């Protein structure tokens, strides 16, 4: 079945489940009957904006929504369609639109980038709406796709988006697999420029903080258009990048009236023209305020406009004299907020605490401490009041001004901020633990029970688990950075430790480094030696995997300083981690000492279950110093203990290490036998990293026998697996591949295979 047919079947099922005819869905979504029919019959797939409109109309359950999004997205990896939906009621800005269209025509000729900026940094003036509308209007002239990112430059509860993270999203949309994704911002920017060098695409960089955030994200081709929005003027880009600045101000009265009319209808505005004019005046002609008022009036079709004027005027009397349009828009939000039921009003205030760019329904429910049915009801009410919107993934988005207003209300109502943040952190931690059971061998200690009100997401397998991690990764990173209550340091440490397994499996080493630095700082503040050493060890591992061996010395020193404060079992683990670091750094005498320390601790404290792992670690170092027979004897001592414990992964490590010692003793056949046994164990426990290491060693053994093509195949497999984990070793293996002799013609090849 093709992607189109898969999507078509899912769409038809969703429509029928919603009890909608083709005509009813077309009316609710604004998508034509013919277009929907073509999609259901497998003839076409929707653009992203169309998909969003269909999902809004169907309002499917979260699982069904994700299936539809995945099916529709399968064809878009190489031609990205990331633009948010265009606003059907876009009005005004005629002069500005004429100017930007002339700039669009110049872009292909002179390779310029265009900046859309609000003079004076006005919020709510419609920068994003204009940028998205412009991009949609010119999209057909950029056949290689549209990119979009919210850089979160001015959101009070969130730090600006790191350019490297934004580039990761762009590169993924451009078809770069995770295996080929660089970890650093400079490398990602270089790859982005390479990928866009021969393309014609439009990139919308929304809500930028400053020039430095934007520069790495500018595409390279003269045929590309970059549209940037910011409250700052970004004059530096005009000076250094040849960008053109477009100032945007509030509407005039006619534009504001036109926008209100588009939202509530000509008949209604025509019946009370004076009241309509007064409404937009009370909104300060600010587009965001007019949009919110229009949404409220649309939801109350029987309300006379004069009543709306009276209510809005009464609510804003205390700010009319300030001349502060931001204060005025706060009052507009208050008018919208007052229409909410008490439950939804409380839900809105707590949702404003969400630190990420968007919130899943489950994380929102956990923040508020309500069940999913109640959460969905509240979310629908907030969406109807235009206090939030949905992105194409079904997550809920608060405009930064709306979020700021929600946080003000939270303080006014003395809502329990800490309790809500604890529920969010528990949601992210406990569900990560459940998902991790299907994904990774790296397990943190099982968490205790979550606090009441935390939503548990059912996970039935590895794909579900990875989907959950992907959905909540941005929220987790934001929570680690943004939840700053000193009383929640323990929760931040626990959350970081719980995500170690997924970060390792996904090769998210850059993200892991950031998370573990935060965790280590929190652990040091708590003066918790166990957490300090755990976080330090995880940070060391991530730095080693990215090739930053020297940088790993700092957290290793911190670990050593607190080693003596640990219980014996924890000391053993720390000694093993330090052994691994020193081994990778080629500081073998220190590695040997740490390996011997670990084994001595196990034996002196009766830690029988820890002895086999310590033996395997010591055997690896003995092999490195050339004591091959000692390495085999030491490691073979561990095998029966590992089999007794059912530890198949460490048994795989032991067999692989014995194989390497046998290879060093010039017995490649015995080595290959051990490697293949180790490989089967790694495959059984889904250990990708272990498989990559064994394929590397297999290649060496095959090459020793003269089997060049088997060596080539093994190294290729190893490099691919390490690349999928974004491990720096992949580059060295590919270099060895390049050094192999090229395949000979079959008639002349004599490859000892």
């Amino acid at each position: 079945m093709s992607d189109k047919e898969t999507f078509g079947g899912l769409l038809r099922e969703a429509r029928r489940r919603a009890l909608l005819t083709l005509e009813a869905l077309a009316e609710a979504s604004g998508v034509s009957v013919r277009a929907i029919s073509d999609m259901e019959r497998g003839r076409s797939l929707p653009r992203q904006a169309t998909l969003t409109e269909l999902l809004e109309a169907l309002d499917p359950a979260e699982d069904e929504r994700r299936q539809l999004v995945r099916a529709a997205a399968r064809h878009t990896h190489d031609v990205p369609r990331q633009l948010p939906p265009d606003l059907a009621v876009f009005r005004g800005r005629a002069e500005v639109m004429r100017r930007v269209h002339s700039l669009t025509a110049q872009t292909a000729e002179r390779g310029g980038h265009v900046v859309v900026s609000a003079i004076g940094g006005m919020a709510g003036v419609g920068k994003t709406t204009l940028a998205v509308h412009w991009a949609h209007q010119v999209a057909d002239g950029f056949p290689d796709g549209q990119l979009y990112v919210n850089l979160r430059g001015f959101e009070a509860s969130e730090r600006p988006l790191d350019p490297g993270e934004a580039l990761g999203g762009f590169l993924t949309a451009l078809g770069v697999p995770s295996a080929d994704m660089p970890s650093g911002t400079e490398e990602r920017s270089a790859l982005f420029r390479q990928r866009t060098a021969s393309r014609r695409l439009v990139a919308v960089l929304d809500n930028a903080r400053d020039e430095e955030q934007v520069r790495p994200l500018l595409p390279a081709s003269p045929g590309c258009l970059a549209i940037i929005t910011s409250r700052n003027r970004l004059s530096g880009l005009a000076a250094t990048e040849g960008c053109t600045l477009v100032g945007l101000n509030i509407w005039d009265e006619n534009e504001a009236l036109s926008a209100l009319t588009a939202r509530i209808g000509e008949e209604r505005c025509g019946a009370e023209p004076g009241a309509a004019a007064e409404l937009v005046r009370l909104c300060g002609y600010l587009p965001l305020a007019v949009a919110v008022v229009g949404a409220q009036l649309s939801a109350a079709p029987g309300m006379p406009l004069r009543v709306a004027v009276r209510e809005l005027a009464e609510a804003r009397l205390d700010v009319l004299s300030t001349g502060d349009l931001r204060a005025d828009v706060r009052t507009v939000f208050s008018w919208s907020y007052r229409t909410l039921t008490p439950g939804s009003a409380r839900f809105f205030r707590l949702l404003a605490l969400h630190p990420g760019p968007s919130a899943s329904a489950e994380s929102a429910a956990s923040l508020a401490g309500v069940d999913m049915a109640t959460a969905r009801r509240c979310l629908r009410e907030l969406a109807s009041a235009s206090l939030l919107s949905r992105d194409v993934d079904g997550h809920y988005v608060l405009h930064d001004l709306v979020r700021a207003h929600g946080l003000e209300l939270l303080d006014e109502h003395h809502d329990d901020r800490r309790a809500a943040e604890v529920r969010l952190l528990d949601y992210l931690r406990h569900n990560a633990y459940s998902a991790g059971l299907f994904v990774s061998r790296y397990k943190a200690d099982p968490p205790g029970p979550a606090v009441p009100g935390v939503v548990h997401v059912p996970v039935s397998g590895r794909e579900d688990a990875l989907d959950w991690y992907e959905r909540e990764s941005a929220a987790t990173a934001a929570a680690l950075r943004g939840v700053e209550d000193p009383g929640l340091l323990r929760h931040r440490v626990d959350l970081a430790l719980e995500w170690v397994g997924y970060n390792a499996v996904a090769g998210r080493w850059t993200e892991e480094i950031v998370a573990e630095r935060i965790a280590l700082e929190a652990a040091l503040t708590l003066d918790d030696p166990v957490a300090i050493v755990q976080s330090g060890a995880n940070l060391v591992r991530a730095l080693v995997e990215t090739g930053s061996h020297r940088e790993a010395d700092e957290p290793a020193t911190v670990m050593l300083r607190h080693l003596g404060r640990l219980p014996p079992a924890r000391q053993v683990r720390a000694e093993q981690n330090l052994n691994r670091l020193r081994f990778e750094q080629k500081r073998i005498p220190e590695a040997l000492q740490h390996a011997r320390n670990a084994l001595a601790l196990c034996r002196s404290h009766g830690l029988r279950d820890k002895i086999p792992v310590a033996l395997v670690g010591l055997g690896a170092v003995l092999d490195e110093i050339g004591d091959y027979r000692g390495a085999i004897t030491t490691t073979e001592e561990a095998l029966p203990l590992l089999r007794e414990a059912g530890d198949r992964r460490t048994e795989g490590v032991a067999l692989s290490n014995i194989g390497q010692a046998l290879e060093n003793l010039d017995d490649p056949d015995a080595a290959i036998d051990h490697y293949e046994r180790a490989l089967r164990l790694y495959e059984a426990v889904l250990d990708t990293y272990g498989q990559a290491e064994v394929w590397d060693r297999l290649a060496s053994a095959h090459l020793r026998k003269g089997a060049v093509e088997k060596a080539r195949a093994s190294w290729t497999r190893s490099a691919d697996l390490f690349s999928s984990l974004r491990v720096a070793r992949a580059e060295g293996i590919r270099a060895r591949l390049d050094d192999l002799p090229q395949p000979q013609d079959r008639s002349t090849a004599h490859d000892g295979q």
Side-chain angles (χ1 to χ4, degrees):
M1 182 179 291
S2 70
D3 292 344
K4 293 178 182 178
E5 290 171 330
T6 299
F7 178 81
L10 291 170
L11 178 61
R12 186 183 305 107
E13 291 173 12
R15 176 175 61 78
R16 290 173 176 171
R17 195 171 289 115
L19 303 178
L20 294 173
T21 63
L22 280 171
E23 292 75 13
L25 178 57
E27 182 178 353
S29 66
V31 181
S32 71
V33 170
R34 180 174 180 178
I36 297 172
S37 177
D38 284 348
M39 283 183 263
E40 289 193 355
R41 286 184 290 172
R43 293 182 177 179
S44 65
L45 284 165
R47 293 179 61 175
Q48 193 161 19
T50 302
L51 178 62
T52 300
E53 291 160 353
L54 290 170
L55 293 174
E56 287 289 344
L58 291 167
D59 193 25
E62 297 302 320
D63 287 346
E64 189 176 13
R65 175 183 291 271
R66 285 194 289 271
Q67 288 180 330
L68 284 162
V69 170
R70 278 201 297 263
R74 285 176 185 153
H75 74 302
T76 63
H77 291 306
D78 293 324
V79 182
R81 310 288 184 192
Q82 293 187 325
L83 290 179
D86 195 8
L87 190 65
V89 292
F90 183 90
R91 293 293 186 278
R93 307 298 191 196
E95 181 57 36
V96 174
M97 288 306 300
R98 278 193 293 273
R99 185 180 178 198
V100 298
H101 279 307
S102 70
L103 293 170
T104 304
Q106 298 171 21
T107 298
E109 300 171 7
R110 63 183 181 89
H113 302 287
V114 183
V115 177
V116 178
S117 175
I119 297 175
M122 173 61 67
V125 79
K127 302 180 296 295
T128 298
T129 301
L130 176 68
V132 170
H133 181 66
W134 175 10
H136 273 287
Q137 287 206 324
V138 301
D140 290 342
F142 298 90
D144 295 317
Q146 306 98 43
L147 299 171
Y148 172 86
V149 63
N150 177 5
L151 294 171
R152 306 201 296 269
F154 295 90
E155 297 188 11
S157 61
E158 176 59 48
R159 297 178 186 178
L161 184 70
D162 182 80
E165 188 175 344
L167 285 165
F170 281 178
L171 290 169
T172 298
L174 289 168
V176 176
S178 60
D180 298 331
M181 187 74 69
S183 58
T185 298
E186 287 188 16
E187 294 83 0
R188 288 184 178 187
S189 184
L191 181 57
F192 177 62
R193 290 193 297 271
Q194 176 189 334
R195 285 293 181 121
T196 58
S198 59
R199 296 184 187 232
R200 285 184 54 79
L201 53 79
V202 55
V204 177
L205 312 178
D206 191 19
N207 198 12
R209 165 69 73 172
D210 53 33
E211 292 89 343
E212 294 309 308
Q213 189 186 26
V214 166
R215 282 193 177 98
L217 307 176
L218 296 176
S221 171
C224 294
L225 169 66
I227 305 173
I228 306 160
T229 75
S230 178
R231 294 185 198 174
N232 291 332
R233 189 158 168 75
L234 305 183
S235 301
L237 286 180
T240 62
E241 308 293 337
C243 298
T244 302
L245 304 181
V246 178
L248 201 61
N249 213 325
I250 60 173
W251 277 328
D252 61 28
E253 182 180 9
N254 289 333
E255 288 177 315
L257 279 171
S258 176
L260 181 65
T261 300
R263 289 180 176 276
I264 68 173
E266 290 185 13
E267 182 177 348
R268 203 168 173 190
C269 283
E272 298 181 82
E278 182 63 8
L279 271 177
V280 296
R281 188 191 70 80
L282 289 171
C283 289
Y285 307 122
L286 190 65
L288 181 60
V290 174
V292 172
V293 168
Q296 287 301 312
L297 290 170
S298 294
M303 176 186 285
L305 298 191
R306 63 182 182 278
V307 174
V309 167
R310 183 173 66 249
E311 291 190 4
L312 184 56
E314 289 172 355
R316 72 189 291 280
L317 283 176
D318 58 337
V319 297
L320 271 176
S321 62
T322 68
D324 183 350
L325 289 175
R326 283 170 291 186
D328 291 349
V329 79
R330 182 188 298 121
T331 305
V332 173
F333 294 152
S334 297
W335 188 52
S336 186
Y337 170 79
R338 287 188 294 113
T339 69
L340 299 176
T341 59
S344 291
R346 174 184 175 275
F347 190 97
F348 168 68
R349 299 193 301 269
L350 294 173
L351 181 60
L353 286 170
H354 195 287
S358 61
S360 66
E362 294 89 350
S363 64
S366 298
L367 265 171
V370 300
D371 58 48
M372 288 302 299
T374 301
R376 289 194 180 96
R377 186 166 59 250
C378 292
L379 288 165
R380 282 195 294 270
E381 188 175 344
L382 294 177
S384 296
S386 286
L387 288 172
L388 55 75
S389 59
R390 293 186 88 165
D391 61 22
V392 73
D393 295 321
H395 285 192
Y396 295 86
V397 181
L398 288 175
H399 187 282
D400 54 347
L401 286 180
V402 177
R403 185 193 300 269
H405 181 60
L407 291 173
E408 289 178 355
L409 291 170
L410 183 87
D411 291 336
E412 288 177 15
H413 286 262
H414 305 291
D415 291 309
D416 194 337
R417 175 192 290 257
R418 176 178 289 185
E421 290 179 335
V422 167
R423 287 192 296 269
L424 175 64
L425 294 170
D426 267 16
Y427 163 77
L428 295 169
R429 182 192 179 197
H430 284 73
N431 284 290
Y433 178 81
S434 300
L437 298 175
F438 295 95
V439 169
S440 169
R441 63 181 173 85
Y442 299 96
K443 301 292 189 299
D445 296 332
V451 296
V454 171
V455 172
H456 175 70
V457 179
V459 176
S460 59
R462 186 177 175 84
E463 185 176 350
D464 280 353
L466 291 172
D467 279 350
W468 182 87
Y469 275 122
E470 186 175 349
R471 289 198 309 276
E472 300 294 1
S473 59
T476 300
L480 286 170
R481 293 192 304 264
V483 176
E484 297 178 345
D485 186 337
L488 299 181
L489 290 175
R490 172 69 57 191
H491 286 78
R492 294 170 75 185
V493 172
D494 291 341
L495 179 59
L497 294 176
E498 202 63 72
W499 276 69
V500 171
Y502 171 67
N503 287 338
V505 166
R508 300 174 76 247
W509 301 115
T510 302
E511 295 84 352
E512 175 68 3
I513 289 168
V514 173
E516 294 304 334
R517 288 196 192 282
I518 292 170
L520 180 57
E521 182 180 348
L524 286 166
T525 302
L526 292 168
D527 193 30
D528 179 344
V530 172
I532 290 168
V533 174
Q534 277 185 299
S535 302
N538 292 333
L539 178 54
V540 163
R541 195 266 170 105
L543 290 167
V544 166
E545 296 300 356
T546 57
S548 305
H549 294 88
R550 186 172 298 176
E551 198 176 340
D553 276 335
E554 183 180 349
T557 301
V558 174
M559 292 172 63
L560 283 167
R561 195 160 57 240
H562 295 272
L563 202 60
R565 302 174 62 196
L566 298 176
R570 296 282 187 181
Q571 284 189 49
V572 170
R573 182 66 180 273
E575 292 281 8
Q576 290 167 338
N577 285 323
L578 290 165
N579 165 28
R580 184 174 186 275
L581 169 63
R582 299 314 185 201
F583 191 93
E584 293 289 342
Q585 291 177 321
K586 303 303 180 186
R587 292 159 62 170
I588 303 305
E590 293 173 69
L592 181 60
Q593 188 58 57
H594 286 302
R596 285 175 170 159
N597 290 348
L599 184 58
L601 282 165
C602 290
R603 286 177 168 155
S604 63
H605 290 281
L607 302 173
R608 186 175 184 274
D609 60 321
K610 308 292 184 187
I611 288 176
V613 177
L615 287 167
V616 172
L618 177 57
V621 186
L622 292 174
D623 178 74
E624 183 68 17
I625 65 175
D627 184 4
Y628 306 132
R629 298 200 182 280
I632 292 171
T633 301
T634 301
T635 309
E636 284 182 338
E637 184 184 344
L639 284 174
L641 299 174
L642 291 167
R643 289 165 184 156
E644 179 185 336
D647 187 349
R648 291 189 294 171
R649 184 202 162 269
T650 309
E651 184 184 351
V653 176
L655 289 170
S656 178
N657 288 356
I658 293 170
Q660 181 162 277
L662 288 166
E663 185 183 345
N664 288 330
L665 289 168
D666 202 22
D667 190 353
D669 289 322
I672 288 171
D673 175 65
H674 280 75
Y675 292 151
E676 290 176 343
R677 289 160 61 192
L679 190 60
R680 287 193 290 272
L681 287 169
Y682 281 134
E683 289 170 345
V685 298
L686 303 176
D687 187 334
T688 305
Y689 193 100
Q691 293 173 52
E693 282 202 319
V694 173
W695 281 114
D696 182 16
R697 292 178 175 181
L698 266 170
S700 176
H702 285 309
L703 195 60
R704 186 182 289 262
K705 292 183 64 180
V708 175
E709 292 312 310
K710 286 186 177 180
R712 191 190 313 280
S714 297
W715 266 331
T716 299
R717 182 69 174 138
S718 176
D720 288 346
L721 290 172
F722 274 132
S723 293
S724 72
L725 297 173
R726 288 192 271 176
V727 171
R729 284 175 58 180
E731 296 178 11
I733 293 172
R734 294 199 189 279
R736 293 200 290 275
L737 271 169
D738 292 340
D739 290 339
L740 287 176
Q742 293 304 306
Q744 300 175 357
D745 184 87
R746 290 182 180 274
S747 62
T748 60
H750 298 283
D751 183 356
Q753 301 179 56

